[in-house]
Amino acid sequence: MPTAINSVSFLFEMTIKKNDDDRAWVLEILKDVELIVDSYEQPIQRPTDNEEQKKNYSGKQKRHTKKNQVIVMPSGKEIVDVVVGETGATADINIWRKQRASLETSQKFQGDKAYVGEPLIRACWISAERLHGLVMRSSDQGKCAR
């Protein structure tokens, strides 16, 4: 059953795909913005199938989860892209690598330390509150890498 986020993302994608002028306009707006990439986990009921249990078990959370990735504007108020329902054992960077083929290669991104080593993402390991929507302090600048 589709969620509200799936529906919004789907409608946004379909609108952009139907009209190349809209796609070009959106890409033009986004090219000067450093978008924020982050993943989060949602607990699920333990699957009965043993193979499904292994795929969905998150060692970090110590429970069975589904993982989602969101790409947002720096304010955190506008969602640009959503990936929903990856297995809990999937690493954040692997979700990103599958999704990046559908994104502009010239776009700039910022993420947390889960994305260190990814060339398109400037990885910062500062608190989530400061990463999402708040201005970075000068002391945070050394904690970021390309």
Side-chain angles (χ1 to χ4, degrees):
M1 184 160 106
T3 64
I5 290 178
N6 282 343
S7 301
V8 170
S9 181
F10 176 76
L11 290 173
F12 180 73
E13 281 185 36
M14 293 311 295
T15 304
I16 296 294
K17 287 179 181 177
K18 284 182 184 176
N19 190 342
D20 286 338
D21 291 339
D22 286 345
R23 180 173 172 74
W25 179 76
V26 169
L27 293 176
E28 184 67 28
I29 290 171
L30 294 178
K31 78 175 187 177
D32 296 328
V33 177
E34 189 173 58
L35 300 176
I36 298 173
V37 181
D38 202 6
S39 297
Y40 61 95
E41 296 184 62
Q42 290 181 300
I44 60 168
Q45 187 173 4
R46 180 182 174 150
T48 55
D49 179 51
N50 196 33
E51 288 303 311
E52 283 298 308
Q53 284 184 33
K54 288 179 185 176
K55 289 179 190 173
N56 288 293
Y57 185 76
S58 170
K60 181 179 179 183
Q61 297 289 327
K62 305 289 189 243
R63 58 184 168 195
H64 295 83
T65 64
K66 287 290 185 183
K67 210 170 231 186
N68 309 303
Q69 177 185 271
V70 181
I71 299 175
V72 297
M73 296 290 281
S75 67
K77 295 179 182 177
E78 297 89 13
I79 297 172
V80 176
D81 189 58
V82 177
V83 176
V84 179
E86 291 289 327
T87 59
T90 307
D92 294 357
I93 199 161
N94 291 334
I95 297 171
W96 161 257
R97 287 177 177 156
K98 280 200 299 190
Q99 187 63 12
R100 93 175 149 202
S102 65
L103 303 169
E104 273 304 301
T105 56
S106 62
Q107 181 65 52
K108 295 177 236 150
F109 296 93
Q110 182 180 32
D112 58 19
K113 63 183 172 182
Y115 302 98
V116 170
E118 181 57 39
L120 296 178
I121 298 178
R122 184 168 63 97
C124 294
W125 42 97
I126 58 175
S127 70
E129 294 79 24
R130 296 218 314 260
L131 179 63
H132 295 290
L134 299 177
V135 178
M136 286 179 42
R137 298 178 188 159
S138 59
S139 62
D140 295 332
Q141 298 300 322
K143 298 176 184 174
C144 296
R146 266 276 180 212

